Amino acid sequence: MTFSDDRPTMIEFKDVHKYYGDYHALRGINGTIKAGEFFSLLGPSGCGKTTLLRTIAGFEDISSGVIMIDGKDMADVAANTRPTNMVFQSYAIFPHMTVEENVGFGLRKDPRSKEDKAKAVAEALDQVGLKGYGKRAAHALSGGQRQRVALARALILKPKVLLLDEPLSALDKKMREHMQVELIKLQRQVGITFILVTHDQEEALVMSDRIAVMFEGEIAQLADPETLYRRPATRKVADFIGTMNFIPAEIVSESGDKVEVDAKGLGRAMLDISQAPAKTGETPVVGLRPETLTLLYDDQKPPERETDGVIDEVIYFGDMTYYDVYLGGTDVEVRLSMRNVPGRPVLDVGTKVRVAWSPSALVLFR
Amino acid sequence: MAQTPGSEARTGLKLISPTAIFVILLLAVPLATVLIYSVMTGGRGNVSLPLTFENYSELWSKSVYGYIMFKSLMVALVVTATTVLLAYPVAYFVSFHVKPERKSLWLFLITIPFWTSYIIRVSLWFVILGYGGVLDSTLTAIGLQPLNVASYSILSIIIVLAHAYAPFAVLPIFVSLEKVDRSLLEAGQDLGESRWVTFLRVTLPLSMPGVIAAALIVFIPTVGDYVTPELVGDGKEPMIANLIETQLLKLQNFPQGSAFAVASMLMVGIVAVAFVVWNRRFIGGGK
């Protein structure tokens, strides 16, 4: 994932704070968003992700700090002159206008001729898959169509940054998945920096080049999806993104770039320092993703390590089965996922199993 | 409890019958009477056949009637325009700048003038506008000429009416402004427009249904207002209602008075229909 490394910076946050009265909504945001990047702000509701997006758009003033867009300080730049455009959560389609008038709303001061503007509107509608919808009344559109109009209306102005405030949350699952792919394609096609706010970790992983995970007004981790998933920086991030088993552990020794841990039910394991993010002062635990654990066949040799277990719960998903397994005669329970392949029956509760795992899949939080 | 459509309709009729009888007796019958009277011959308390359009041609032929009708229409339009223009900023302020939990208090305060009888409010305007009143003594005190507004009957009528109907205009405009999705205003700015232009392109058109409702609410009763010209203008500037009153009650010429009433209703009707048609543009949102 080197996509973002060699790109010029588009947005830079320097110690951005935002207070609403006593409430500290943004607590020292730092970081950069690169040009042409699909960037996501991910976090639970109330974590400040929407506030941060709105400070970029200029709808919220910041209490202190600096926001730079394309090298310019945005402190005294009003929302209507910033090089950003927004797709609102409610889409904010003007109900008293046609689709055309909505899409062309921002072109009033454009010096082009009427015909050229009409052409640009038609092209923008074509781009979002709404060819021929121009004369429709805006209030007669479906949710998905409104969103496309909102996209066209923003993209026609060729902003440097497109801001998307939970644009998919109002759509049903099928439509949402479809729009995710369309948005990615659209972003590649236009090459504009997209900043997406979402509380859906799956959506963020699918769509983004990089993700900032936010909790309580702070960025907990800023990384590409794979790093975020495989090497979460804190237990909280690991818990928020996907499923992770946390197993109590003790740190046996630490020297140079190696850390040796003793995890309950797994035993001792040598970890690389890259598997142990910075200390946060918590009780040490190791984290393991369900798909990094495997149940072994009777005569199968483990690739690396194995440990005994007893199945406590079976959750059948069709293509997958999730097993909750007690490890090595302890009260430590882990969830693991197995693909349901032919010739491999779904096991029953109480079955004694051998669980294969790999020390390189562990992450240590301490 | 299954009911056939027929019995349902009968139940419905029963339910509305008290109201229906009330409406028929107190609205439809008097209106029909007025319509019939307007095409009959009469004078000095008599109403008789034959049917004739003479009452209407009387209205056309005497320029003084035409003048009074035109004057009433103009006064009502000026009052409507003034009231709506003054009410809009008030409604806008309450809707956009007052904290949500304070809004009902503000609306309540706006209705306070209604706690006093209209007659008293009219007399209070004399204290302000009249000869030696608050306005003129203030002007004299700072070395300016007194205006003596009260001696200009039409101007005083307009001022008093505009004040009287202001709260009626604030409410519908307020309601329509409340319904404007605030994210639309952000969208307007996001798309490059200033607050003012966003207001003109988004807020104003979306609040037009309220503005038009306010205009109708003010216009319809002011055209037929009887008390204000009588009190404020001392009867020197009669409006339609005063004309009808003279014909019906003083001269007891019921057919002539009815004809004036019908003509005035037609006038109000035409303006109201024009307003409603105009309103369609904003409510319909296209085709």
Side-chain angles (χ1 to χ4, degrees), chain B residues 49-61:
Chain B
L49 291 169
L51 298 181
T52 170
F53 280 102
E54 212 159 283
N55 303 315
Y56 289 100
S57 54
E58 173 88 359
L59 203 157
W60 280 117
S61 59

Side-chain angles (χ1 to χ4, degrees), chain A residues 54 57 59 79-80 84-86 88 90 92-97 102 104-106 108-109 135 137 139 153-154 157, chain B residues 181 183-195 197-198 201-203 205-206 281-287:
Chain A
R54 290 171 59 83
F59 298 137
N80 60 340
T84 59
N85 283 114
M86 175 109 111
F88 291 82
S90 62
I93 302 297
F94 302 117
H96 56 303
M97 296 181 178
N102 263 285
F105 187 92
R108 188 178 61 90
K109 286 179 272 186
K135 302 282 181 225
H139 62 84
R153 187 175 70 176
L157 302 176
Chain B
D181 181 355
S183 67
L184 295 177
L185 310 184
E186 285 186 345
Q189 286 180 51
D190 187 65
L191 296 167
E193 298 293 17
S194 64
R195 277 167 197 272
V197 179
T198 302
R201 294 186 70 188
V202 181
T203 318
L206 286 175
R281 270 191 53 209
F282 300 103
I283 295 178
K287 278 137 270 172

Side-chain angles (χ1 to χ4, degrees), chain A residues 180-248:
Chain A
Q180 285 176 0
V181 177
E182 276 204 26
L183 272 179
I184 299 169
K185 281 187 185 158
L186 191 65
Q187 196 265 344
R188 294 216 180 110
Q189 191 191 328
V190 296
I192 292 170
T193 311
F194 276 35
I195 306 179
L196 174 80
V197 157
T198 181
H199 60 267
D200 182 342
Q201 46 99 11
E202 212 170 289
E203 186 171 295
L205 291 178
V206 168
M207 300 177 75
S208 323
D209 293 313
R210 284 194 309 153
I211 301 169
V213 183
M214 292 182 67
F215 295 114
E216 287 157 14
E218 283 176 287
I219 294 181
Q221 189 172 8
L222 198 167
D224 61 85
E226 203 187 344
T227 308
L228 213 54
Y229 189 80
R230 283 165 44 96
R231 295 278 180 262
T234 66
R235 184 172 170 169
K236 214 168 170 185
V237 172
D239 209 15
F240 190 74
I241 304 218
T243 312
M244 190 169 251
N245 298 302
F246 296 105
I247 302 163

Side-chain angles (χ1 to χ4, degrees), chain A residues 22-247:
Chain A
D22 290 341
Y23 180 62
H24 201 170
L26 297 176
R27 307 176 178 208
I29 301 292
N30 283 294
T32 57
I33 298 171
K34 308 281 175 132
E37 195 172 35
F38 201 127
F39 193 91
S40 289
L41 297 169
L42 172 67
S45 52
C47 72
K49 56 190 190 300
T50 298
T51 307
L52 187 59
L53 192 80
R54 290 171 59 83
T55 61
I56 301 172
F59 298 137
E60 306 277 356
D61 296 324
I62 51 176
S63 308
S64 68
V66 179
I67 296 177
M68 315 261 283
I69 300 179
D70 204 19
K72 278 195 216 69
D73 187 349
M74 287 292 126
D76 298 318
V77 183
N80 60 340
T81 51
R82 292 198 182 189
T84 59
N85 283 114
M86 175 109 111
V87 174
F88 291 82
Q89 189 170 11
S90 62
Y91 309 141
I93 302 297
F94 302 117
H96 56 303
M97 296 181 178
T98 62
V99 167
E100 239 169 21
E101 286 167 337
N102 263 285
V103 174
F105 187 92
L107 295 179
R108 188 178 61 90
K109 286 179 272 186
D110 193 306
R112 280 182 285 179
S113 72
K114 239 184 181 176
E115 292 75 34
D116 286 349
K117 286 187 198 177
K119 231 171 106 190
V121 168
E123 275 166 21
L125 282 173
D126 195 12
Q127 195 171 34
V128 296
L130 283 181
K131 198 172 183 172
Y133 279 71
K135 302 282 181 225
R136 294 259 186 118
H139 62 84
L141 298 177
S142 72
Q145 290 168 338
R146 277 159 184 271
Q147 185 188 44
R148 287 158 193 267
V149 173
L151 266 170
R153 187 175 70 176
L155 287 173
I156 197 170
L157 302 176
K158 307 214 179 328
K160 287 179 179 158
V161 182
L162 183 73
L163 308 169
L164 302 121
D165 185 7
E166 308 227 13
L168 305 176
S169 60
L171 304 177
D172 62 66
K173 191 165 184 283
K174 271 259 162 69
M175 191 69 194
R176 190 159 62 227
E177 282 164 5
H178 178 71
M179 281 310 290
Q180 285 176 0
V181 177
E182 276 204 26
L183 272 179
I184 299 169
K185 281 187 185 158
L186 191 65
Q187 196 265 344
R188 294 216 180 110
Q189 191 191 328
V190 296
I192 292 170
T193 311
F194 276 35
I195 306 179
L196 174 80
V197 157
T198 181
H199 60 267
D200 182 342
Q201 46 99 11
E202 212 170 289
E203 186 171 295
L205 291 178
V206 168
M207 300 177 75
S208 323
D209 293 313
R210 284 194 309 153
I211 301 169
V213 183
M214 292 182 67
F215 295 114
E216 287 157 14
E218 283 176 287
I219 294 181
Q221 189 172 8
L222 198 167
D224 61 85
E226 203 187 344
T227 308
L228 213 54
Y229 189 80
R230 283 165 44 96
R231 295 278 180 262
T234 66
R235 184 172 170 169
K236 214 168 170 185
V237 172
D239 209 15
F240 190 74
I241 304 218
T243 312
M244 190 169 251
N245 298 302
F246 296 105
I247 302 163

Side-chain angles (χ1 to χ4, degrees), chain B residues 170-183:
Chain B
V170 171
L171 289 173
I173 299 174
F174 170 78
V175 170
S176 67
L177 285 172
E178 282 289 283
K179 282 195 286 187
V180 175
D181 181 355
R182 301 309 195 247
S183 67

